Amino acid sequence: MKRLSHLAYFTRLLVLALALSGLVQASVQAQESKTQATKKSKVVFQVSDGDSKKWELTLSNVKNVIKDLGKDNVDVEVVAYGPGIDMFKFESPVAGRIEEVLKLGAQVMICENTMRAQKLSKSDMLDNLGYVEAGVSQLIKRQQQGYAYIRP
Amino acid sequence: MKRLSHLAYFTRLLVLALALSGLVQASVQAQESKTQATKKSKVVFQVSDGDSKKWELTLSNVKNVIKDLGKDNVDVEVVAYGPGIDMFKFESPVAGRIEEVLKLGAQVMICENTMRAQKLSKSDMLDNLGYVEAGVSQLIKRQQQGYAYIRP
Amino acid sequence: MKRLSHLAYFTRLLVLALALSGLVQASVQAQESKTQATKKSKVVFQVSDGDSKKWELTLSNVKNVIKDLGKDNVDVEVVAYGPGIDMFKFESPVAGRIEEVLKLGAQVMICENTMRAQKLSKSDMLDNLGYVEAGVSQLIKRQQQGYAYIRP
């Protein structure tokens, strides 16, 4: 077997070093692009006021965001709790407009803590809503997941 | 001393390469889990309205979050400024409920800019509160530290 | 050419390993400090209420933040939409104070969706304002860029 020269070994080490250095770069870049990817537009709207003008404004906001960014480029969630829950009751004055934004792909999450406090059941509420144990915890969770927060 | 064969050297380089590649993975994962760790639930509530219904709602929110996520899994801070500072005055109508959430581990921070503007001293305020120069700066700082922001 | 001893090769591998491990550390630290750098103070204020007391509070907030953190250490932007747009109309009761915060370096962005809905043109508005298609989209974008969000 032919003995490798000094130089040949050194070359091999260098190639290895460059390969590993490439691996490091790739790993770091992969992580960066992962961070970028989680920055796809995501937004959570809080409805906690029992004020129908705020509800109208929130619905306009949701529509404008979806129109402006494009339905496929943004995840929109509305979280209702406290006095804001009235917006999504069966007899809501904005029921028609809510149906419209649900069709545009927005999600609505209702706080079950508030429902219990107000002795409401799901049959008192509009259709096609989601439910969470605590509205505020949902707002925290969404922000931790990179959602922007808007309180109209 | 016995000369190492071609193959033996190559094997060594490979072992080294794998070890270093493991080190890279470990470093990147360590950083990821550090990022995860900073995502332990943290939330800052803003009280800037002079509206006792908002104060009640904020206190319910704080209690629900601590109950829902568990006292040891969430850091809760309430920052009061502007008209919201009245919530924490000595004669506050919600003093008893404030004491309750302080016992649950929530922190309260009062804006000293607002106190100066209203000619208030700490003796005008409830016990066991914290103080910051500017409430808004504290809200910015907390968000930069990864706190979710809730404005009830 | 002199053959390298067993020990000499091992030493070389070790030096290489340490060098690469240093490279890994450096890459990871570079990324961390980059993350730090993006944490320079940045804050976006939302004005969406047609309430002049809120406008006064917002202007005080902006001034306090700039005073507290230093003009060069914070980027401040105010986004006005919905009923909040009245704050920046030509006849605004807080026009003088707005001019003051603009001089301190704060930026103001007005929602053009709202302007169209209210049939307003730029000549109806104060000078030195910026304009965006949708105020809410701007608030989302800023939060994605690491701005803290304050809704006074």
Side-chain angles (χ1 to χ4, degrees), chain B residues 1-4 9 12-13 16 20 23-24 27 31 34 46 48-49 81-83 113 133-134 136-137 139-140 143-144 149 151, chain C residues 3 5-6 9 13 17 20-21 24 28 31-32 39-43 45 54 57 61 64-65 67-69 148-152:
Chain B
M1 197 170 100
K2 194 175 162 288
R3 184 159 30 101
L4 284 172
Y9 276 118
R12 253 177 218 198
L13 286 174
L16 181 69
L20 282 174
L23 185 77
V24 173
S27 291
Q31 200 185 351
K34 202 170 134 194
Q46 173 181 313
S48 54
D49 292 322
Y81 78 89
N113 278 335
E133 182 60 24
V136 174
S137 301
L139 289 164
I140 296 170
Q143 289 182 67
Q144 285 174 339
Y149 167 94
R151 190 212 184 281
Chain C
R3 179 158 37 98
S5 73
H6 208 136
Y9 275 117
L13 288 173
L20 282 173
S21 150
V24 173
V28 169
Q31 199 186 352
E32 271 170 5
K39 281 191 180 164
K40 181 204 159 187
S41 287
K42 292 180 284 192
V43 56
F45 287 88
K54 280 275 173 72
L57 183 60
N61 289 176
N64 281 335
V65 165
K67 195 185 72 181
D68 192 44
L69 301 179
Y149 167 94
I150 306 279
R151 188 211 186 283

Side-chain angles (χ1 to χ4, degrees), chain C residues 5 17-18 21 32 55 64 71 78 84 86 99 129 135 138 143:
Chain C
S5 73
L18 290 172
S21 150
E32 271 170 5
W55 304 346
N64 281 335
K71 196 179 164 170
V78 179
D86 292 358
E99 206 179 334
L129 307 178
Q138 180 74 3
Q143 289 182 66

Side-chain angles (χ1 to χ4, degrees), chain A residues 3 5-6 9-10 13 16-17 20-21 24 28 31-32 39-43 45 54 57 61 64-65 67-69 148-152, chain C residues 1-4 9 12-13 16 20 23-24 27-28 31 34 46 48-49 81-83 113 133-134 136-137 139-140 143-145 149 151:
Chain A
R3 180 156 38 98
S5 73
H6 209 133
Y9 276 118
F10 190 72
L13 286 173
L16 180 69
L20 282 173
S21 150
V24 173
V28 169
Q31 200 184 353
E32 272 170 6
K39 282 190 180 166
K40 180 204 160 186
S41 288
K42 292 179 286 192
V43 56
F45 287 88
K54 281 275 172 72
L57 183 60
N61 289 176
N64 281 336
V65 165
K67 195 185 72 183
D68 192 44
L69 301 179
Y149 167 95
I150 306 280
R151 189 211 185 282
Chain C
M1 197 174 96
K2 197 178 158 290
R3 179 158 37 98
L4 284 172
Y9 275 117
R12 254 178 216 195
L13 288 173
L16 180 69
L20 282 173
L23 185 78
V24 173
S27 293
V28 169
Q31 199 186 352
K34 202 170 135 192
Q46 172 182 313
S48 54
D49 292 322
Y81 77 89
N113 277 336
E133 180 60 25
V136 174
S137 302
L139 289 165
I140 296 170
Q143 289 182 66
Q144 285 174 340
Q145 291 170 340
Y149 167 94
R151 188 211 186 283

